[in-house]
Amino acid sequence: MERPLSLQEPMDMPDRFFPIKVHHCVTKEYGRTLFTHHWHDHIEILYFTKGSALVEINSVPYEVGEGDLVVLNAKDLHFGVSQCDDLIYYAMIVDINLLHSHSVDAIETKFITPISQNQILFESKICGDKKIVSCISSLIQELNHQELGYELSIKSYLYRILTILLRRYGTNKMSTEDDQLRLKNLERFTPVFQYIEEHYQEDLTVDLLSGLAGLSRFHFSRLFKELAGRTVTDYINALRINKSEYLLRNSHLNISEIALSTGFKDIYYFSRSFKKYKHVSPSEMRRSFHE
């Protein structure tokens, strides 16, 4: 179902390098609109700790109250209104890219990529699941205190939440045969991913990579996108950008040298690509590491 672009909500994150945020929302007015109709590409979980509300998801209304969770899958069109004069809830918004692996593995292929492509969906309303609530409460505490290693802890809670959602509330649009086929294709493509990892500085063409897999350009490109969740060009560029980010942080190379050493022949294309993937320019990122 196509979503109106006018209702797409831009999603700024307080930390662009760690795209997750939690809002603590308090409403003291019956009938107050909590959020107008909108959608976004991120997963959002609403956790209600007091009061009651009506949340409409893809035109289906859900009455929710204390202890309830609402899961908003990517691109779900949603709207909310308070049904009491003392409502408290948390809104946790996560960019699934936070959980992507830099290399394609079984976790990426079986779970993270299908979730990002809405091939795995979660139930909209969850009542009284103490395990998820415990994870969310601990995650919020970590995010608020930001002690050493809080990023590791938060990612571990996110993986735990996804595991519970998958086991108890997940709807997989793919069959067991589809899963097995994806893993079989992953095995076939493993030499391709390894080659990209080892030769990312070189000129990598679809013809070259498809030859490694023994497939036609068309068949290779289609299967690659199914496995990696992105096109060949996007995958290679993302890998190069991640390598360049490491160099910006840990080397004394200037930006032009970093661009060339990570496979970008054009410094302007490198800068545009870097900002596309990291939402900041290379120079801004370098400054942030040395402030």
Side-chain angles (χ1 to χ4, degrees):
M1 179 180 176
E2 291 295 323
R3 301 290 184 231
L5 289 177
S6 61
L7 297 180
Q8 183 177 12
E9 182 182 47
M11 193 60 65
D12 296 327
M13 292 290 176
D15 184 349
R16 61 175 67 96
F17 307 124
F18 197 66
I20 179 174
K21 61 182 178 180
V22 176
H23 295 302
H24 183 218
C25 307
V26 179
T27 300
K28 299 289 186 179
E29 181 182 344
Y30 183 95
R32 182 185 181 92
T33 298
L34 305 176
F35 39 84
T36 59
H37 284 93
H38 70 285
W39 62 274
H40 41 70
D41 290 322
H42 302 70
I43 290 178
E44 182 174 2
I45 298 178
L46 307 177
Y47 169 41
F48 293 85
T49 59
K50 188 176 183 180
S52 57
L54 180 71
V55 180
E56 181 185 288
I57 306 171
N58 300 325
S59 300
V60 178
Y62 296 90
E63 292 186 357
V64 294
E66 183 176 337
D68 289 342
L69 297 163
V70 170
V71 180
L72 301 166
N73 298 285
K75 295 183 172 59
D76 274 350
L77 185 64
H78 50 286
F79 164 84
V81 61
S82 174
Q83 290 194 316
C84 68
D85 56 9
D86 191 7
L87 176 68
I88 302 175
Y89 69 98
Y90 291 89
M92 181 178 75
I93 304 164
V94 182
D95 186 344
I96 198 68
N97 287 325
L98 179 62
L99 302 180
H100 272 303
S101 304
H102 289 315
S103 59
V104 178
D105 54 21
I107 295 172
E108 185 81 10
T109 300
K110 291 182 67 176
F111 308 115
I112 303 302
T113 295
I115 289 171
S116 68
Q117 296 174 343
N118 273 4
Q119 292 176 318
I120 294 177
L121 298 173
F122 304 118
E123 292 179 20
S124 297
K125 180 181 176 181
I126 297 172
C127 299
D129 193 306
K130 294 182 180 180
K131 287 189 176 181
I132 297 182
V133 168
S134 176
C135 287
I136 291 176
S137 299
S138 298
L139 186 155
I140 292 171
Q141 185 175 6
E142 288 282 0
L143 194 59
N144 287 337
H145 294 168
Q146 296 195 5
E147 297 179 3
L148 179 64
Y150 78 94
E151 299 96 337
L152 290 171
S153 181
I154 286 174
K155 286 189 76 169
S156 71
Y157 283 122
L158 288 174
Y159 281 120
R160 181 59 181 153
I161 290 169
L162 279 184
T163 301
I164 298 170
L165 289 175
L166 281 163
R167 289 176 176 174
R168 298 182 179 179
Y169 310 104
T171 301
N172 194 342
K173 294 183 178 181
M174 300 183 296
S175 65
T176 303
E177 291 75 17
D178 291 330
D179 282 333
Q180 291 173 345
L181 181 59
R182 287 174 75 96
L183 290 177
K184 182 178 179 181
N185 286 330
L186 176 60
E187 184 176 353
R188 184 175 190 174
F189 273 64
T190 295
V192 175
F193 293 121
Q194 289 176 341
Y195 188 90
I196 294 173
E197 178 70 31
E198 295 168 2
H199 298 269
Y200 67 90
Q201 298 163 308
E202 303 171 11
D203 186 20
L204 299 174
T205 65
V206 175
D207 285 332
L208 170 65
L209 298 175
S210 61
L212 294 175
L215 297 168
S216 68
R217 282 175 55 96
F218 174 79
H219 195 41
F220 172 83
S221 297
R222 182 179 63 80
L223 287 178
F224 190 101
K225 189 170 183 180
E226 285 183 7
L227 291 172
R230 60 189 76 180
T231 65
V232 178
T233 300
D234 278 343
Y235 182 87
I236 294 172
N237 280 344
L239 175 64
R240 288 171 171 168
I241 293 300
N242 287 329
K243 299 290 186 182
S244 68
E245 180 183 348
Y246 175 84
L247 293 176
L248 285 167
R249 182 194 293 261
N250 297 289
S251 80
H252 296 292
L253 296 175
N254 63 42
I255 291 175
S256 295
E257 291 170 332
I258 289 174
L260 290 172
S261 66
T262 53
F264 290 95
K265 298 178 181 178
D266 184 334
I267 180 64
Y268 299 106
Y269 179 64
F270 167 69
S271 295
R272 290 197 305 271
S273 298
F274 196 97
K275 192 159 189 177
K276 172 186 174 183
Y277 289 97
K278 299 297 181 179
H279 309 296
V280 292
S281 68
S283 57
E284 288 173 326
M285 178 168 281
R286 168 154 274 180
R287 283 196 298 271
S288 73
F289 291 144
H290 294 90
E291 289 177 349

